[in-house]
Every structure is written in structure tokens, then in C-alpha cells.
Amino acid sequence: MGERYVELVEVGPRDGLQNEKETLAPEVRAELVDRLADAGLPRIEAASFVNPKRVPQMAGAEEVFASIHHKEGVVYAGLALNERGYTRCVEAGANEVRYAFPLTDEFARRNQNTSVKDAARLAVRLKELADRDGVRFSVTLSVAFGCPFEGEVRAERVLEVAREVAAPGPGEVVLADTVGVGVPSQVRELVSGLREIAPDGTAVGCHFHDTRNTGIANAVAAVESGASFLDASVGGTGGCPFAPRATGNVATEDLVYTLHGMGYSTGVDLPALIGCADWLSEKLGKGLPGRLHKAGPFAPVAG
Amino acid sequence: MGERYVELVEVGPRDGLQNEKETLAPEVRAELVDRLADAGLPRIEAASFVNPKRVPQMAGAEEVFASIHHKEGVVYAGLALNERGYTRCVEAGANEVRYAFPLTDEFARRNQNTSVKDAARLAVRLKELADRDGVRFSVTLSVAFGCPFEGEVRAERVLEVAREVAAPGPGEVVLADTVGVGVPSQVRELVSGLREIAPDGTAVGCHFHDTRNTGIANAVAAVESGASFLDASVGGTGGCPFAPRATGNVATEDLVYTLHGMGYSTGVDLPALIGCADWLSEKLGKGLPGRLHKAGPFAPVAG
């Protein structure tokens, strides 16, 4: 075949919905997860095991997991930000725990009431637990392309922290453009840099927001620099608390369209995924920022 | 410096507004042109010299040109699709005539009541006239990345026609993704291919629509493959008659953000350009699809 496979991690049910005004019931979120799995998404971030008082949209993570019709071969992941969240996540039946922390102290303090140093230590600790429990584990480095509080985040800084959390490898490290400020040249520098310093067997992923319309360009740059998986959110759901009019994560279907057009395989059924975006748009009672599900995939009109 | 300059051609006043429901008066369109020139756009497609019965949004092209406060060093271009339009355009005071035709017979018949063969001949004829009159001239090859009627447009076909219209060079050839279906790998193939076959001194440009969210990724691919200029439309105005829910041209300010972030220079003042997008959004009485003018350029918030 010669086709290169890019793994897509669907984060709509978590990062997407967490930033929407409308709160969907756990059963509806589980149905979204099932629909996405049916559309061929190999890995889905299904719920967030954080304090529901802080993120009410994510309340009922256990219920979401209990309602999912688990499909053979699909990875159902949950987000955890501390050891308690980790335990809840594993007990709920997730086969992957995803942990995230920001690369600047100011964001870390505001978002997770911690420091970069402590958060990185926790990453190493959670990795140990995951290895013990036999679940997949990934670490996301937030604001790797710029911080809304501290501004520029130097590449050396990103790689220094990445080296620390990747050390217990082989594992997964995700570079996240949390506020959507990155550009392709920066993506290439960081992805290539991370691949060089990370232990053999470390998988590098990226997580982009389309806040400034750079999401697809950044995703292409990431894949071409050796990232093996990409986060994306059906319909481009989500947003950014620091840019009230901003759009959300890069839309999964926009990304699938681009990747397939470039000859990559993803295993995703594009029309089925567009159906998920339309379904979610209806559930949320609003248009979603993704573009492909509105325009349709390319199909010449009848003469 | 080492910075590479990318010339941006602002097509909002023409390709953008031509596809908007709201028709703006010629004086308002002229004010938009002036605002864009003040924001540093070096070249602006200001009006369309086609039959106003066919495109009522573009009526009053002469009035637009008469109302513009022509600025030293700025190129004010007009679109013409035939010899009569060419003459009107030059007489109105345009210092560049832009001519466009589709690469498929079906689209050519429906859009311009012509064939690709005849349309290509006309390109050569108009180039002669432009050389005689001392005005700049550029040829846009529409649907170069796919046709809504005929589907795939083979690269060999694109390059064959491009060779013909570039032969009288040195001139300008623009590859246009009229319906927004192209992906970066295709852009690289076509731009590199065109640079190889075109006579020395031919400038290669690209024109992307963000219909399927590939506009910025395609623009980056074009510039990196040697395109020296890019069309773009303030606020991402425009649309696509074949995809009613589709967004329009790639937004100029989104493109400027990306290019500047990657170390290219454009001469454009980004905050001033965002001001133009906000102003136009108000004049059109609706939100525009561009993303940057909503999110704002990257500026860390005060602690």
C-alpha cells in the first residue's frame, strides 16, 4: 500500500464538550462516543475525571463510561489531573488515562493549582501506576506553543519538560496548542525536537485548536515531522476561555478530509463522521465551527 | 534580514463581496479598498468589469475606481472576462487587469459561455493588449484543484493549459481552488510543476477558498513550493454557489498571522487589517468566517 496511517484521537466528548455552554447528559455523551466509534475513530477521549464542581459539563464521568457500548479494538480514554482522578478513571473501565499539565507556572497555578515542577513529577508517578495497572498512559504538555499569561514558551523549555516526562518511556507525549497560537514552522521545530530527545519507542502526538485558523496547517506539519497521532474534535466543538469568540479544537472531519486527500489513511468513514457532527450540532442546538460538515465532502454535482 | 516577502493580493472587494447576499454601494466598496490599502495591502482586486446583470453585487465598477483614493505604490486591479471588460477596466484607471477562466469545459460553458480552448486564446490576446497598454496582467486558472461538474482535474491538464497561457510571458499565472477542495500535497505538485514549465520570469500565485478548512494549509504549501503571491479576502468573505453553507476565500488576516508567525514578511499591519474585517462585518450586518479577527492576535492577558 505505502499509505501511512495516522491515528486520530477524538477528544470532542471531553475537550470539545467541556468548553460548550450547553451541558449534555452522560447518556448523550456516551451515545456520541458510540457514534464516533462506529464512524471508525480508533481512540476516543470519552470523559474527564476532574472535580465536577470545577467543570460541570463533565459531571458523571462514571455514568458516561457505564453507558458506552465498548467496541473491540477501540481505546476509550479518560482525562485525569491527579491520582484520585487516575483511580476513578481506571475503575470506570478506561483503557487509557490521559494526563495534562501546562508548561508555565502561571497557567499551572490557575488551572490546576500546582507548579510545572510538581505537575511533571506527578506525570512520572502516574506513568508508574499505569504501567503497574496495564493501562495506556499519555501526557499532554499544554500551552506548548504559547501561554495566555506568560506569552512565548521557548522551545528549549518545552523540550526540557518533555524529556523529563518521557524518561520513564516508552510512552506518549502530546504537544498541545491550548490557545491556538502556533504556526507550522513552530510545529516542525517542536515535533522534530521532541522526537530527537525522547527515548526510543515514545509516540509523539499533537493537539491543535483552530482559534486562529492554523489547525489544519499545523496538523499537516506535525504529521510530516513524524507525529504519529493527532487529537481532534468532531464538528470543531469547544472554545477557549481566554478568547470568548474563538472556535474550538481542530474539527476531526476537516482533518480526515485533508489527510485522506494527501494519501494518509485513518480508518475513519468520512460520511459517517459528518453524520456525527450534524447529530451533535442538533444536540447542542447550534452550528459548529467545523467547515467540512457544512460544505460536504467533494462530490461533483450532477450535470 | 533573510525574511522572505510574500505578496498578498486582497480580493475581498471583488471575489469576496461578489458572493455575499448584501450588495454594498460603490462608494462603500471604494472605502473598503482604501482601508485595505491603508492597512498595507500592496495589491487589491477592487472591482469586476463583468455584466452587472449577471453579478449585481459588482455593479458600478467605474464608480468604485473613481471613488478610490489611489495610493502611490499600490496596485489596483480589476477583473475582466472579455475584451470589452478589459477596455472598461483600463479606462477606469486600473493598473492591473486580472482575467480568469476555468479548466473544464462544463464550468467554462456555464460560467462564461465559452470553452477552455477559446478562453485560453483570449488570455493570450488580452496579454498582448496589456503589454501594448503598459498595464499589469494576470491569468487565473479556475477549478485547478477540482471542478464541481467534472470532478477531478488532472495535473497534466492544468499544466498543459498553464503552459499555453504562460507562453507569451513574463507574466502571472494564478492557480485557483475555486470550490475549496484542494489539499497541500496537490498544491505542491501543481505549484512546482507550473514553476518548471513556465517561462523564466513567470510569477506563480495561488487563490484558495476555505470551504473545507484547507485554505491556510494550502497557502503554506504554496509559498513553500515557490508561489510568490497569494490571493486572500478580508474577513474570509465570499462563499461558493455550489455549497450554500460553505465559507469563502481564505481570510487575509488569518493568512497574515500565519505567514508573519513563520517569519515571512507581507508589509501588512495586522491590527489595522483586523479593523478592516470588523468594519466590513458591520457593513454587511453579519459575522464573517475568518477566525483571527474574532479571537484576536496572540497577546497574553494581564496577570
Side-chain angles (χ1 to χ4, degrees), chain A residues 100-105 107-108 116 139-162 165 173-183 185-191 194 204-209 218, chain B residues 257 298:
Chain A
F101 70 94
L103 289 166
T104 64
D105 282 319
F107 201 115
V116 176
V139 182
T140 294
L141 304 177
S142 306
V143 299
F145 298 82
C147 168
F149 305 114
E150 298 193 14
E152 191 196 355
V153 178
R154 285 170 44 248
E156 297 74 30
R157 175 72 180 145
V158 177
L159 298 179
E160 184 190 314
V161 179
V165 300
V173 181
V174 182
L175 299 167
D177 186 11
T178 312
V179 286
V181 297
V183 292
S185 48
Q186 204 181 357
V187 173
R188 292 175 191 145
E189 181 186 5
L190 285 180
V191 172
L194 178 49
V204 173
C206 284
H207 174 110
F208 297 115
H209 281 245
N218 286 343
Chain B
Y257 176 84
F298 180 45

Side-chain angles (χ1 to χ4, degrees), chain A residues 283-300:
Chain A
K283 290 287 166 195
L284 289 171
K286 61 171 230 181
L288 299 180
R291 294 186 165 179
L292 188 80
H293 78 281
K294 297 182 191 114
F298 181 45

Side-chain angles (χ1 to χ4, degrees), chain B residues 30-250:
Chain B
E31 184 177 346
L32 174 61
V33 171
D34 287 342
R35 285 173 180 267
L36 291 163
D38 286 343
L41 267 308
R43 200 164 150 197
I44 303 168
E45 201 174 286
S48 174
F49 293 86
V50 299
N51 187 340
K53 279 184 196 144
R54 294 206 58 189
V55 190
Q57 292 95 329
M58 290 290 105
E62 278 81 0
E63 286 89 329
V64 172
F65 265 87
S67 298
I68 292 170
H69 295 84
H70 290 255
K71 209 173 162 174
E72 186 72 32
V74 174
V75 176
Y76 297 93
L79 178 78
L81 299 183
N82 53 34
E83 216 171 307
R84 178 170 150 67
Y86 170 87
T87 306
R88 283 177 62 203
C89 189
V90 173
E91 286 177 354
N95 34 21
E96 173 176 327
V97 177
R98 305 188 99 203
Y99 167 69
F101 69 93
L103 288 167
T104 65
D105 282 320
E106 186 59 23
F107 201 114
R109 188 179 67 73
R110 294 186 185 224
N111 199 57
Q112 282 154 244
N113 195 27
T114 186
S115 66
V116 176
K117 200 170 179 178
D118 288 345
R121 272 205 206 109
L122 181 56
V124 174
R125 165 74 182 143
L126 294 178
K127 169 79 168 118
E128 281 171 15
L129 294 179
D131 285 347
R132 179 199 70 189
D133 297 336
V135 295
R136 289 173 60 136
F137 182 71
S138 89
V139 182
T140 293
L141 303 177
S142 305
V143 299
F145 297 82
C147 168
F149 306 113
E150 299 193 13
E152 191 196 355
V153 177
R154 286 172 41 249
E156 298 73 31
R157 176 70 179 145
V158 177
L159 297 180
E160 186 190 313
V161 180
R163 189 197 299 269
E164 189 181 342
V165 300
E172 286 196 351
V173 180
V174 181
L175 299 167
D177 187 11
T178 312
V179 287
V181 297
V183 293
S185 48
Q186 205 181 357
V187 173
R188 291 173 190 147
E189 181 186 5
L190 286 180
V191 172
S192 307
L194 179 49
R195 292 190 70 216
E196 266 174 38
I197 59 130
D200 282 354
T202 305
V204 173
C206 283
H207 174 111
F208 296 114
H209 281 246
D210 223 355
T211 317
R212 289 169 184 81
N213 205 3
T214 57
I216 296 289
N218 286 342
V220 169
V223 164
E224 293 185 335
S225 302
S228 62
F229 64 99
L230 296 169
D231 288 3
S233 170
V234 59
T237 40
C240 174
F242 308 105
R245 295 197 298 165
T247 55
N249 292 73
V250 63

